[in-house]
Structure formats: C-alpha cells, structure tokens
Amino acid sequence: MKKKYKTFLVTGGTGGHVFPSLCIYDYLKSKGVLSLIITDLRGTNYINKNQYKTKKIFSSHLQKRNFEFFKGIFFLIIGFFQFIILLFKERPNNIITFGGYSSFSAIFSTIILKKFFNIKLYFHEQNSVLGKVNRMFISGADNVFLSFKKTEGIRLKYNYKLIYSGLPTRVSNIKKISRNYKNIGKNLKLKILFFGGSQGASNLSKNLINSLVALPYKYQKLIEIIIQLPKQDIYEVDQMLKKTFIKYQIKSFYKNIINEMKKTDLCICRAGASTIFELIQSKTPAILIPLPASAKNHQYKNAKFLSAQKAAIIIEENKLLGNKLSTIIKKIIRNRILLKNIYLNLNKIKSLKTNEIIYNNIFNRKN
C-alpha cells in the first residue's frame, strides 16, 4: 500500500511553533512530499484547514494545581493513543516536531515505536534555549535543527545530532526590502508597527500606549502606528489614542503581518524566535521587549542575538513604566540615522537557506 503521508509535522500551542511548521509543509509540498500536520486545539487557530492537511490531537500544559495537573495528564494520555493510531494508520517515514508541550505525546509515542516502524525523528528548536520537551527527549531524536547556532541547554554528548538550519519564516521568499531612512522633515512621519504576540500582550500594549500618550504634541503628530492586540483591549486603547494627535489603526489580527512590516520604519514587539527571524528577513529595525515570563528567559536571549550585532534595541518590560521607550522614540524622530544603522546591521546578518537545509538533511542524506 502506497503511503499517503511520508512526513508528520507536529506543532501547536502558539504561532511561534505553528508558523515554522507551515513553512516546511509548503516547501515539502513544492518538492512533491505530502505532509500531515498534527496539532492541538490552540494550534488550529493559526492553520487554514483548506490549505493544509491537518489532524487534531489532545494536548495540555501540566499545571501545578491538582485538578489542572490531572486534567493535563488525562489529555496527554489521550493524545498519546491518538498519535499511536495515526502511526499505525499512516506509517510515516519521518516525523518533525516543532517544540512545546503540544509535541510531548507525539514524541513519546514515536520513541517507543520508531524502531518498529523504522521512523526517523527530528526536532526543530526555535529558540536560543532548548525547550523543556526537546531537552527531555533529545536522546531519542535522530537530529535537532537549531534556529540559533549557540543554543543553550544542550549537553555536549548530543552535539553530533545538531544541525544549524535557522528558522523557517513566512518571509523566506520575499524580495529584499530597500529602506531609505532620511532625517525627519516637516511632514515625514515615523511609521511604527506594534504587535505583542500571543502571550502577555495586554500589559505590553497598555504600557506602550502610555509611553506614546506621554509624548509631547510635536512628536505625536509625527507618528503613524499600526497596532495588533487582543480584542478585549481594543476599546480601551482606542479611547486612549483618541485623545492624542497620533494617526493609528487597530486590529485584533493581521492575516499577513509581513505586509505590514514592509510598510513600516520600526517594529515594537516581543522577541519570539519567529519574530526575530522575520525581522532579519524583512530587514525591519525593531525595539524588542522580551516576555519576562518566557521559559529560561529565552526571549531575552533571542533578543540579545540581534542587539549584540547592533541590529535591534532591547527594552526590558519593567522599564516601560518609566520614560525609556518615549525617550528612544523621540531620538529616532529627531534623527533617522539611528534606524538606518540598525537596518545596515540587519543586512550584514547572513540568511540561511533554512528550508533547503532541513529538506536535504532529511531526504537527500547519504547513509
């Protein structure tokens, strides 16, 4: 019987885990490899079912509270058996997981049965710190693809499994964007794109707006801002901005955030791995505000990858309560050379042919 799906792509949780898997799906499809995306309930929010072949399985965080903990265990057990059924039914050659708790059941069941089915198991680690689930099961992986060359949390004995690939992004096929940062003129506005990600967006968006509201009139009138934030925050933020002289547009979700990046001079955003690599690919200067609660502080370490190359500015969230952000925005408005230098440094960062690297190491490897 001919196999329908040669490859499973396991993802879920946040967009940061889902979007790279969709990029790989598209690339494999262009090479004639039909894949099946295995995801959880949260992951389905980011996937167009008409465009991608998808199966949903149960998954869960393991919360510390007693009821939630046992509920999480129950969902993981169900997900474990759901994935085993898929393995018996489809018999894939390869499984690529994209981190997060949503991959736990799939990895566990694959490791148990991989020799029986002759399956190759690959991890893709998006962040600059190896995730908890990947760290737990790394001994069972055939290879681990890394977004960041210097990824923390990997024991030396597993170095032979590592392949530096970079991160598959939604902008991998776009033409180089040319940005012309001239010094501010009387009518030249600073175009800002703000998006807070799927975690901790409410606090970030309100702190950002407070910083903009605090700007004097002469700076407010020179700002245009596109904002993506949770639906529940739109009314409050809209009311705050109505009292300013800032031109703005607010939506709860932009289907193609990359198109918005292309229109802007500056992004203000979190520092998830997908965001970091999209900024590199689109050559968009950014003020990065890492999520303080990110595991092992990985968002700050992601951001340091750019700031160390003078290719982004980092502001820690607790400093937004002061005037640091508004001070930086005023400096940028007075002198666009600050953005131009960041743009030039972004252009110095070598972009990897990520999709090709992953494909070749899975399908074109000489054993």
Side-chain angles (χ1 to χ4, degrees):
M1 180 179 174
K2 187 177 179 180
K3 295 182 180 183
K4 186 176 181 182
Y5 302 107
K6 291 184 178 180
T7 303
F8 282 1
L9 305 175
V10 181
T11 188
T14 65
H17 293 300
V18 175
F19 294 134
S21 71
L22 301 184
C23 295
I24 292 298
Y25 181 102
D26 290 336
Y27 188 80
L28 293 182
K29 187 176 180 181
S30 74
K31 295 290 186 179
V33 179
L34 186 57
S35 304
L36 179 67
I37 294 176
I38 315 295
T39 190
D40 61 355
L41 179 62
R42 286 179 67 195
T44 59
N45 295 323
Y46 303 98
I47 301 173
N48 183 339
K49 293 180 181 178
N50 296 322
Q51 187 176 353
Y52 299 97
K53 301 294 183 180
T54 309
K55 286 285 185 181
K56 183 175 69 176
I57 66 172
F58 279 89
S59 184
S60 178
H61 277 298
L62 291 180
Q63 305 286 354
K64 292 182 179 179
R65 290 173 294 183
N66 285 344
F67 174 75
E68 294 297 328
F69 177 81
F70 289 111
K71 180 181 175 183
I73 291 289
F74 177 69
F75 283 159
L76 289 175
I77 291 172
I78 294 175
F80 172 82
F81 286 108
Q82 285 178 311
F83 198 80
I84 284 180
I85 291 171
L86 285 171
L87 288 180
F88 273 95
K89 182 179 178 182
E90 300 292 346
R91 308 287 180 105
N93 299 112
N94 308 292
I95 294 175
I96 311 172
T97 70
F98 291 83
Y101 67 88
S102 55
S103 64
F104 180 92
S105 296
I107 294 174
F108 187 34
S109 54
T110 300
I111 288 174
I112 292 173
L113 295 172
K114 69 191 297 270
K115 288 186 178 179
F116 178 78
F117 287 121
N118 193 26
I119 299 171
K120 295 288 187 181
L121 176 62
Y122 302 94
F123 297 169
H124 187 283
E125 177 54 58
Q126 286 89 62
N127 290 299
S128 55
V129 181
L130 193 67
K132 189 174 182 179
V133 174
N134 285 349
R135 191 166 63 250
M136 188 183 304
F137 292 114
I138 191 171
S139 62
D142 289 278
N143 287 111
V144 181
F145 296 104
L146 302 178
S147 297
F148 296 89
K149 196 169 187 177
K150 296 180 180 179
T151 300
E152 297 180 13
I154 303 174
R155 296 170 69 180
L156 289 175
K157 68 177 184 178
Y158 296 123
N159 279 358
Y160 73 98
K161 295 176 182 261
L162 308 180
I163 298 171
Y164 176 42
S165 66
L167 181 73
T169 70
R170 294 169 285 179
V171 287
S172 56
N173 295 321
I174 103 175
K175 294 180 180 178
K176 183 178 177 180
I177 298 172
S178 178
R179 299 179 183 276
N180 184 19
Y181 290 106
K182 296 178 180 178
N183 282 336
I184 190 71
K186 289 183 179 179
N187 299 311
L188 185 60
K189 294 196 174 186
L190 177 68
K191 297 178 181 178
I192 300 173
L193 170 64
F194 168 77
F195 54 99
S198 57
Q199 302 180 70
S202 291
N203 286 337
L204 178 59
S205 58
K206 290 171 186 176
N207 287 333
L208 167 72
I209 301 309
N210 284 330
S211 294
L212 295 178
V213 169
L215 289 170
Y217 162 75
K218 68 177 182 178
Y219 292 106
Q220 288 187 3
K221 69 177 184 177
L222 293 174
I223 292 174
E224 292 183 8
I225 186 165
I226 297 170
I227 306 172
Q228 177 177 289
L229 74 168
K231 286 182 181 179
Q232 65 267 23
D233 297 330
I234 288 180
Y235 177 79
E236 182 179 353
V237 169
D238 181 61
Q239 293 303 303
M240 292 171 71
L241 285 172
K242 276 182 179 177
K243 299 175 184 178
T244 72
F245 296 92
I246 297 169
K247 185 177 179 180
Y248 66 94
Q249 174 185 311
I250 306 176
K251 287 186 180 182
S252 61
F253 186 72
Y254 289 91
K255 289 183 179 179
N256 193 334
I257 199 73
I258 307 308
N259 283 341
E260 306 307 322
M261 280 186 176
K262 291 192 289 185
K263 301 173 189 175
T264 59
D265 304 310
L266 171 71
C267 277
I268 301 176
C269 50
R270 290 295 192 195
S274 289
T275 298
I276 296 294
F277 281 86
E278 286 169 354
L279 292 171
I280 293 170
Q281 293 279 7
S282 63
K283 312 303 179 191
T284 309
I287 296 173
L288 299 172
I289 306 167
L291 177 68
S294 62
K296 302 287 185 180
N297 204 20
H298 70 256
Q299 283 211 6
Y300 182 79
K301 293 168 184 176
N302 292 350
K304 285 290 288 183
F305 172 75
L306 285 184
S307 69
Q309 300 176 77
K310 297 183 179 179
I313 297 168
I314 300 178
I315 299 179
E316 294 182 63
E317 188 165 327
N318 59 3
K319 294 180 181 176
L320 285 179
L321 298 176
N323 63 356
K324 187 163 185 178
L325 179 59
S326 56
T327 299
I328 290 173
I329 290 175
K330 285 190 282 187
K331 285 182 180 178
I332 289 170
I333 289 175
R334 289 196 298 264
N335 186 0
R336 295 292 178 93
I337 295 298
L338 295 173
L339 290 186
K340 183 178 180 180
N341 289 337
I342 293 174
Y343 168 71
L344 293 174
N345 289 329
L346 282 166
N347 277 276
K348 293 176 185 177
I349 300 174
K350 184 180 179 181
S351 295
L352 300 173
K353 295 182 178 179
T354 299
N355 294 335
E356 190 175 321
I357 291 170
I358 292 174
Y359 177 81
N360 286 337
N361 277 280
I362 294 176
F363 296 96
N364 289 340
R365 172 176 288 175
K366 294 180 181 179
N367 296 317

